[in-house]
Amino acid sequence: MKNFALIGAAGYIAPRHMQAIKATGNNLVAAYDPNDSVGIIDSHFPDADFFTEFERFDRHIDKRRRANNGRAIDYVSICSPNYLHDSHMRFALRSGADAICEKPLVLNPWNIDGLIEIEGDTGRKVNTILQLRVHPAIVALREKVLAGPKDRKHEVDLSYITSRGHWYLQSWKGDVKKSGGIATNIGVHFFDMLHYIFGGLQQNVVHLSTDTKAAGYLEYEHARVRWFLSVDVEDVPQAAREAGQRTFRSITVDGEEIEFSGGFTDLHIRSYEEILAGRGFGLEENRTAIATVAAIRNATPAALTGDYHPFLRK
């Protein structure tokens, strides 16, 4: 049994980490969040210590470390706002623990270089949740592409709309300096998936970039990709809206829909299993996706010419 600490216990994604820690037979001993709406802990680890001040959480972890020959905590799971991930991973490594960090790992690719240095200094490791890499449908598609002609470029359309209410832009997620913007916050794991399946990135063109939606064109070694991301319910196709749907997810490869909507609830557990077995995805695996979203964030949108997503026509 491994001992875990968790940073960001009141966040949306934290329960999935608690479930994964419990499902893999491990123990959450301490958690931190400046917000105290964390009753969900009782469903999983009612004996976990909880702190609303980072300084007290830091002291608690340090005291445990000193009392247990430097390894009181084996892993720190990080579910904090995106802009704090870098700092919290550094804290985990310097506390003698490995880190398990939610996406996006960091906001800019050069942050990865600093974390690699600290891994070397501490001997500890950063793992990240790239859950689509362990999704059976995505794994099967990657194997199919790898087995196909080396010079073929597939035609891919990616559409992801996950509606959010007015609260979204009032929260840290609506602040580009804290979230990295819409492509970073809701899209980074899709961009990682595209790189994982179709190889190295060759071209990155942005056609639309606002607080609530973004779109563009990406070319990889084995694919040409038109992509569209949004948190605006008005972008959900009309037929889906009329059916009461507020989320729309679609990936087509050469005109064929890739069905991967099922199985999402178990992907964190599977990710934890891989990490605990020493097969987690580390810092370098994140570099292409982080560089992709950083470039999108800083790009000047191009004119709607050439390959652009069909949703932009309206």
Side-chain angles (χ1 to χ4, degrees), residues 53-70:
E53 294 173 307
F54 186 80
E55 293 80 2
R56 292 185 174 184
F57 174 73
D58 181 5
R59 180 180 66 182
H60 179 76
I61 298 299
D62 188 57
K63 287 172 67 177
R64 291 185 65 104
R65 180 180 64 83
R66 294 178 185 279
N68 290 272
N69 299 316

Side-chain angles (χ1 to χ4, degrees), residues 132-150 152 154 193-199 222 253 258 270 274 281:
L132 291 180
R133 291 194 182 203
V134 298
H135 193 296
I138 301 305
V139 172
L141 177 58
R142 181 173 187 261
E143 291 174 351
K144 180 180 178 180
V145 170
L146 289 175
K150 302 302 179 186
R152 181 177 181 183
H154 299 271
M193 175 199 72
L194 292 169
H195 157 62
Y196 183 62
I197 296 172
F198 298 112
H222 301 297
V253 178
I258 304 301
R270 179 66 191 278
E274 291 295 296
F281 299 114

